[in-house]
Every structure is written in structure tokens, then in C-alpha cells.
Amino acid sequence: MNRRAYLALVGSSVSASLAGCSSVRSAFSDDELCGGDDCDIGMTRNGFVPEEYEASVGETVVWKNTSDADHTVTALENGIPDDAAYFASGGYEDEETARDAWEDRGGRIGTRGTYEHTFEVPGEYTYICIPHVDGGMIGTVVVSE
């Protein structure tokens, strides 16, 4: 095959295959990602949208898996207020138990699945997705009075 023809063919194939690789964030607004009122925080392939969410004391926050990957919502024990209740999908009472459970897919939120938590203490809450934390899947809920 002619080298120029080959390079043109490869170049057009790469361009065509990359055309659909725009981020979900740019393709959907937060409302579209969560489907309007059925969630507050969406979970894309490797991110929480939005990464930071503002809530009020007593508010229930709903996360929804809007991707085809399994996710968790797992609070970091050193990332929540001292007197706040620990939270994790699967109902685990501490971070170590939640992380250990993930080895058997415990706490899994499947596609279109949801998880919710009611925040009773003001402060900043940092949480992760256990299988995707190395890729940067970290979120924050800031709760005010």
C-alpha cells in the first residue's frame, strides 16, 4: 500500500474513533445527567458530577450511577466532621469495612442505581468511589446550617 494512502486511512480512522470521546460533562448538563429531579449527584465513568455539592443540614442527597461502570459512595473517615454519622453505599459502619467489602463487590451501585444519605451535621464531607479513586473519583458535600 502507498505510504501516504496508508497514513491518510489511519488518520481518518483515528479521527473517527476519537469523535465520540468528548466528556460526559460537556455532553450533558447536571440536570440531564441526573434526569432532572431524581438525583443530586451523577456518577460518570470516573467522576462525580458535580464534584462539589452544597447541601443544608437535614437535606437528603441522592447519588445516581449514570454510567455503565459499577461505583460506590464511600465517606473518608478523616474527611467528615468529628460528630457526623459515617456513610457508605452498602450501609457499612466504617471505611475499612466498606473497602474490605468491595473485594466481593459489596456496596456496589450498578447502572442507574441510586444511593442516598441525609446530612445532619454541618461541615465538609469527602467521599470516594472505591474502584475509581485512583482515577480521581473523589467528591465533596459541603453542608451548611
Side-chain angles (χ1 to χ4, degrees):
M1 175 182 269
N2 178 314
R3 183 172 181 262
R4 284 188 191 184
Y6 174 76
L7 291 174
L9 177 64
V10 170
S12 66
S13 295
V14 169
S15 295
S17 62
L18 291 177
C21 291
S22 62
S23 74
V24 173
R25 180 82 171 127
S26 65
F28 300 102
S29 72
D30 292 352
D31 286 342
E32 291 169 325
L33 187 65
C34 286
D37 292 331
D38 67 345
C39 78
D40 301 298
I41 302 169
M43 293 178 254
T44 65
R45 180 71 178 93
N46 56 5
F48 293 106
V49 178
E51 287 180 14
E52 183 174 299
Y53 182 80
E54 294 182 17
S56 299
V57 169
E59 183 177 337
T60 299
V61 175
V62 178
W63 288 261
K64 182 176 183 179
N65 183 351
T66 56
S67 77
D68 60 354
D70 290 339
H71 293 296
T72 70
V73 172
T74 308
L76 297 178
E77 286 180 328
N78 65 355
I80 64 175
D82 289 338
D83 48 350
Y86 182 78
F87 65 97
S89 53
Y92 303 106
E93 294 185 19
D94 59 63
E95 184 179 346
E96 181 180 2
T97 304
R99 286 179 181 272
D100 289 345
W102 175 252
E103 292 179 22
D104 293 321
R105 311 284 277 177
R108 176 185 79 85
I109 303 170
T111 301
R112 303 296 178 248
T114 61
Y115 169 73
E116 61 184 55
H117 177 73
T118 302
F119 292 88
E120 300 293 348
V121 176
E124 189 169 299
Y125 296 75
T126 303
Y127 62 92
I128 63 169
C129 171
I130 294 171
H132 300 111
V133 66
D134 289 341
M137 195 164 178
I138 302 168
T140 305
V141 175
V142 179
V143 180
S144 58
E145 295 279 350

